[in-house]
Amino acid sequence: MPVSVANSQLVYDAMKGVGVRLVSALPETWLVHLIRIADDDPEMTLVRLAKEEEGVGISAGAHFAGVKSAMLMQNHGFLQAINGIVGVSLLYKIPLLMLITDRGTFGEKDPWQTEGGKYTRPVLDALHIAHDDLSRPDDVEPKMAKAMSLAQSSLSPVALLLQRDLMWEEPK
Amino acid sequence: MKRIDCLKAIYPELEDCAVVTIMGAVAAELYSLGHRANFFYLEHAMGLASSIGLGIALSQPNRKVVVIDGDGSVLMNLGGLTTMARSRPKNLVHLIFDNETLLSVGGGAPGGYKWFTTATSTGSDLAGIARAAGYPRAQLVREMEDFEEAALGAINGDELSCVVAKVEAEMPKSFLMDVHMLENRFEFPRALQQPPKDKRELRRPTRITKQQPTTIPALKSLEE
């Protein structure tokens, strides 16, 4: 599977480097290595969700209990979690780090991914959620640190959109 | 059985727990018994009180977490029961008040009239669903005595437990809560910064009956 192992590890290390000790996740192709690495790490608590909205509640609980967390999902997971993001994170001013694999953009070959990709940014903007793309390996660590800083200082959700150029290696 | 009587029965046990309630009647009634900084009232996002409780329970495994949920909320996050069950935090108690109606979002009326019922009114069994989801303990209770035994046993126990209590669809005397959501949001994590007390110090006698002799010496002598 041409999902980048090296860059998945890079994202994982950066996430752990900013203090994340609990991740909640639903899989999607680009996330397989990230989730597996989290599962293999005894210092990380991995919560396998049934639906993404739960992750917003779990992250809020972890924050209340003094633990930094992150959510791993794709576009449709984000769209699924909107009510929780509005009714918990935004309403109660709770930091939330969302790592969203950004499917449905240029290069997408799966027709079923193409709608969700169109609405992710407009919905983030509509909710005034700060977001940035992760597309180059060199950007991963600094952008992760900046995203976590802003989430903690603004007590808000923030999103990093994991891009095809970072997560996917076209077979040669 | 009345929700407020159930809350009164467990109130003394909640002193050192992290307590997460749903919105509406449950929040207002627990508040009316005396607000504490370790109570968090989730005033929106129905269904996520149990997810918040799970996040706390996984992050502070030495603290007892009590989620006080409702049938309407649980039905909005049934998948969460499976997430809870597979995570199986030993320090979490999931109490569900089942009044068979969406009381606090307008489905109830004074006098206990239910005009917008939930599926528990037509037979959906939340304790059965919790058991089937994988909760090691899930019990349905209809009488006060059974509630006390089940709820106090769960709070003083050491495994993930669910107690579903069938209660009247009665409005609280007042929905007034003189603690702002954000005030509550900031005081709650501060309360959770205090380390939980030793469990043995906190353990209180549960309901004492002839069939259930106490192991607490001071009370044993009373009993004899």
Side-chain angles (χ1 to χ4, degrees):
Chain A
M1 193 181 287
V3 180
S4 171
V5 177
N7 289 343
S8 297
Q9 185 72 52
L10 206 59
V11 173
Y12 185 81
D13 292 344
M15 192 172 73
K16 209 173 162 191
V18 296
V20 170
R21 289 297 176 272
L22 184 151
V23 293
S24 62
L26 253 91
E28 84 107 20
T29 312
W30 293 6
L31 287 173
V32 289
H33 296 308
L34 254 172
I35 293 173
R36 183 184 48 76
I37 298 165
D39 196 23
D40 288 345
D41 182 353
E43 288 175 359
M44 190 67 76
T45 301
L46 171 67
V47 185
R48 291 179 170 86
L49 303 172
K51 223 171 186 186
E52 285 82 353
E53 192 188 8
E54 298 168 52
V56 180
I58 291 167
S59 276
H63 172 73
F64 288 152
V67 169
K68 289 198 176 88
S69 70
M71 284 178 73
L72 306 180
M73 59 199 161
Q74 68 127 274
N75 312 69
H76 283 268
F78 165 67
L79 295 174
Q80 203 289 319
I82 298 296
N83 180 55
I85 292 167
V86 176
V88 177
S89 315
L90 291 169
L91 187 62
Y92 279 100
K93 301 192 76 61
I94 296 172
L96 176 67
L97 177 63
M98 296 184 284
L99 304 188
I100 305 169
T101 49
D102 195 16
R103 303 295 304 268
T105 55
F106 279 9
E108 183 63 63
K109 291 191 176 103
D110 296 341
W112 50 88
Q113 303 288 12
T114 54
E115 282 299 299
K118 280 200 306 214
Y119 307 118
T120 301
R121 281 178 185 72
V123 173
L124 284 165
D125 289 336
L127 298 174
H128 295 238
I129 294 175
H131 60 88
D132 203 345
D133 289 358
L134 285 187
S135 20
R136 293 179 36 231
D138 288 350
D139 285 344
V140 171
E141 199 186 324
K143 283 191 177 179
M144 187 78 73
K146 286 172 183 168
M148 184 57 107
S149 296
L150 183 63
Q152 297 290 331
S153 63
S154 65
L155 305 172
S156 308
V158 298
L160 286 170
L161 302 172
L162 309 186
Q163 298 302 312
R164 181 177 310 274
D165 290 347
L166 185 74
M167 303 306 290
W168 193 256
E169 291 165 347
E170 281 301 338
K172 285 166 190 128
Chain B
M1 187 156 61
K2 289 188 198 306
R3 203 175 39 234
I4 186 82
D5 293 332
C6 296
L7 287 170
K8 279 179 189 162
I10 58 168
Y11 185 82
E13 304 285 324
L14 303 178
E15 191 181 334
D16 199 46
C17 303
V19 180
V20 181
T21 79
I22 53 166
M23 42 86 71
V26 174
E29 285 185 350
L30 181 64
Y31 174 85
S32 76
L33 297 178
H35 174 64
R36 286 173 176 162
N38 58 317
F39 296 171
F40 178 70
Y41 315 102
L42 179 62
E43 297 289 1
H44 221 305
M46 285 175 72
L48 292 191
S50 58
S51 304
I52 292 176
L54 176 57
I56 298 169
L58 293 173
S59 302
Q60 292 196 359
N62 294 323
R63 186 186 301 278
K64 183 65 82 174
V65 180
V66 179
V67 173
I68 311 181
D69 222 324
D71 52 315
S73 286
V74 170
L75 287 166
M76 290 194 198
N77 187 12
L78 280 181
L81 295 178
T82 65
T83 305
M84 185 75 87
R86 73 187 305 188
S87 301
R88 206 174 279 213
K90 288 181 173 202
N91 54 329
L92 193 140
V93 176
H94 196 175
L95 298 180
I96 303 171
F97 288 124
D98 181 2
N99 58 22
E100 302 183 347
T101 180
L102 282 151
L103 180 82
S104 298
V105 289
Y113 176 65
K114 308 171 181 180
W115 75 267
F116 201 115
T117 54
T118 66
T120 64
S121 71
T122 55
S124 297
D125 168 12
L126 293 177
I129 293 172
R131 261 195 309 277
Y135 276 59
R137 264 173 58 159
Q139 207 179 330
L140 175 72
V141 293
R142 296 173 185 277
E143 304 297 332
M144 200 56 211
E145 238 177 43
D146 298 333
F147 173 78
E148 278 184 33
E149 195 166 315
L152 298 178
I155 294 169
N156 291 310
D158 200 23
E159 65 180 343
L160 171 65
S161 309
C162 174
V163 178
V164 179
K166 286 280 183 183
V167 292
E168 292 168 30
E170 195 171 290
M171 296 280 194
K173 284 204 176 111
S174 162
F175 277 104
L176 187 78
M177 293 174 68
D178 189 19
V179 53
H180 192 273
M181 281 169 43
L182 289 181
E183 185 182 355
N184 185 217
R185 175 255 177 272
F186 286 108
E187 70 181 344
F188 183 62
R190 202 160 281 139
L192 298 195
Q193 280 172 17
Q194 304 299 321
K197 290 177 194 137
D198 189 318
K199 216 169 134 194
R200 281 161 301 184
E201 276 175 48
L202 283 167
R203 186 160 296 192
R204 291 182 186 76
T206 53
R207 206 164 48 85
I208 294 164
T209 62
K210 292 272 181 248
Q211 297 79 14
Q212 185 192 359
T214 178
T215 51
I216 295 164
L219 289 162
K220 206 162 193 172
S221 61
L222 278 175
E223 218 173 45
E224 286 159 0

